Amino acid sequence: MTIGISIPVHEKQDVVINQIQNIKKYVPNSVVVIHLDDNFKECDKLIKYADSEGYLFINPHRLSCEWGNIIDAHISNFIYLRDCVEFDYIMFHASNDMYILPGVEDYVKNYDAGFHIHPIYKVSRWWPSAYALEDPVLKEILKLIGAEYPVATQIESSFYKKELFSKIVSIIEKARKHVVQNDQKYKKKYTREEVYFSTIAYKLLSNSKIGYPTTYSEVHDFDRKLWKMQHFTWGIYHRLGLQKIIPKTIYDEFEKSYSRVISNNKSVSLTIKKIQRIITNQATFLKKT
């Protein structure tokens, strides 16, 4: 079994080379495809390194890899890699991920896909959800697959069988063509790659075929603390009827203010101590994440 790994790159080529070496150590049966940001100039070391390593491919097509505009780089990577080499799964990574334990391949082979299942309903505490629900392409995707709501996930280390992801790409392309024909322009930026892929896969697969992404992130700690705080403040805002006298725009700014405080708190940083807890499989800690 071979896992194709897609990485968008926009800076720090030395770090990316170290990341590729890390991936090959912990996911030995893998091939890596890199998408260089169209404004990334200093990539000579990466190109030279790719020339010396048969498992590393650099996509000749170059698109933007900025936040909120990464989905096309990942799709382009998949299509390019599919034409270059045989592989069984496609897995997506950011350019700052690092493995610390083996076993990824043993886990992945048990599932057709791996992603979080976070339904996006009309009322959601995840701020990009409002942009997603307005997205005409996503609306068309939901129509094409007969789904009632989108499903979100983290993109880092989410994975899909190659045949499944080919279907996902075809559905996305069909939805985009229909939207373009109807001249519906939508330029709001959000993490489409964390919604389109998982929404389609969730509809196409039974739950028993779906695993989880294999990456732990400090964002997990941040989200957990933030959502607890949001649940508390949102409850007060409504139970006391404060929404009648305090506009939601003011409440939203209040949420943003304590969100910034939480994000700057060291307790949500990825530390050596947390890494050691993951390596030693401390169940109590992992259940909280």
Side-chain angles (χ1 to χ4, degrees):
M1 185 195 74
T2 302
I3 300 176
I5 296 179
S6 169
I7 307 174
V9 174
H10 60 93
E11 62 178 353
K12 307 294 184 184
Q13 58 178 335
D14 287 333
V15 173
V16 176
I17 290 172
N18 290 153
Q19 180 187 22
I20 294 165
Q21 293 168 337
N22 170 265
I23 288 172
K24 202 58 183 174
K25 176 180 178 180
Y26 288 98
V27 194
N29 295 315
S30 63
V31 289
V32 180
V33 57
I34 287 176
H35 196 108
L36 300 174
D37 183 89
D38 55 2
N39 289 317
F40 186 31
K41 306 301 182 184
E42 296 181 6
C43 49
D44 55 310
K45 290 182 182 179
L46 265 172
I47 294 172
K48 184 177 180 180
Y49 187 76
D51 289 339
S52 66
E53 302 293 338
Y55 64 89
L56 177 60
F57 299 84
I58 295 183
N59 190 338
H61 307 289
R62 297 183 65 165
L63 302 169
S64 172
C65 294
E66 66 178 349
W67 186 93
N69 201 24
I70 295 176
I71 186 170
D72 289 322
H74 276 312
I75 291 175
S76 177
N77 269 2
F78 170 75
I79 293 172
Y80 176 69
L81 192 64
R82 189 177 60 185
D83 293 338
C84 289
V85 67
E86 289 295 324
F87 60 96
D88 302 287
Y89 288 84
I90 186 70
M91 177 180 281
F92 303 102
H93 272 292
S95 59
N96 59 351
D97 296 335
M98 181 182 74
Y99 284 105
I100 57 174
L101 287 170
V104 171
E105 293 159 332
D106 290 336
Y107 179 79
V108 166
K109 68 183 181 183
N110 294 309
Y111 302 98
D112 286 359
F115 54 89
H116 292 305
I117 302 173
H118 296 308
I120 301 177
Y121 302 122
K122 291 184 179 179
V123 178
S124 172
R125 306 310 302 147
W126 184 51
W127 73 261
S129 65
Y131 288 179
L133 293 173
E134 295 174 358
D135 182 352
V137 173
L138 184 58
K139 289 180 181 179
E140 185 64 22
I141 287 172
L142 294 175
K143 288 180 184 178
L144 289 172
I145 63 177
E148 295 181 9
Y149 51 82
V151 170
T153 182
Q154 70 179 58
I155 188 63
E156 294 85 359
S157 76
S158 57
F159 60 89
Y160 304 85
K161 275 191 172 180
K162 182 174 70 173
E163 295 78 10
L164 171 64
F165 199 73
S166 289
K167 292 179 183 177
I168 290 171
V169 171
S170 295
I171 291 170
I172 293 171
E173 289 176 346
K174 186 175 181 179
R176 283 175 165 174
K177 286 179 182 178
H178 186 270
V179 168
V180 169
Q181 289 168 356
N182 287 275
D183 195 28
Q184 299 181 49
K185 296 179 180 179
Y186 189 73
K187 296 183 178 181
K188 290 183 179 179
K189 290 184 178 180
Y190 73 98
T191 49
R192 288 168 171 80
E193 67 280 0
E194 296 189 329
V195 181
Y196 286 16
F197 304 163
S198 48
T199 294
I200 299 170
Y202 182 66
K203 184 63 179 180
L204 296 179
L205 299 175
S206 62
N207 280 9
S208 63
K209 298 289 187 179
I210 304 171
Y212 294 102
T214 61
T215 296
Y216 174 90
S217 170
E218 70 273 24
V219 175
H220 296 165
D221 289 343
F222 167 73
D223 285 345
R224 187 174 67 251
K225 291 179 184 293
L226 177 62
W227 290 339
K228 283 182 179 179
M229 179 65 77
Q230 286 177 336
H231 181 74
F232 176 73
T233 60
W234 184 255
I236 291 177
Y237 182 62
H238 282 275
R239 282 197 298 271
L240 297 183
L242 297 179
Q243 76 275 17
K244 297 177 182 178
I245 56 176
I246 301 176
K248 187 173 180 300
T249 52
I250 295 178
Y251 173 80
D252 288 342
E253 287 302 316
F254 168 65
E255 266 198 0
K256 288 180 182 178
S257 65
Y258 67 67
S259 173
R260 286 190 289 268
V261 172
I262 294 173
S263 67
N264 290 326
N265 192 310
K266 290 184 179 179
S267 66
V268 300
S269 299
L270 189 57
T271 63
I272 295 296
K273 186 175 182 180
K274 288 180 182 177
I275 292 173
Q276 291 171 338
R277 285 175 170 177
I278 294 169
I279 292 174
T280 55
N281 195 27
Q282 294 186 25
T284 304
F285 167 73
L286 294 172
K287 284 180 180 179
K288 294 193 306 180
T289 63

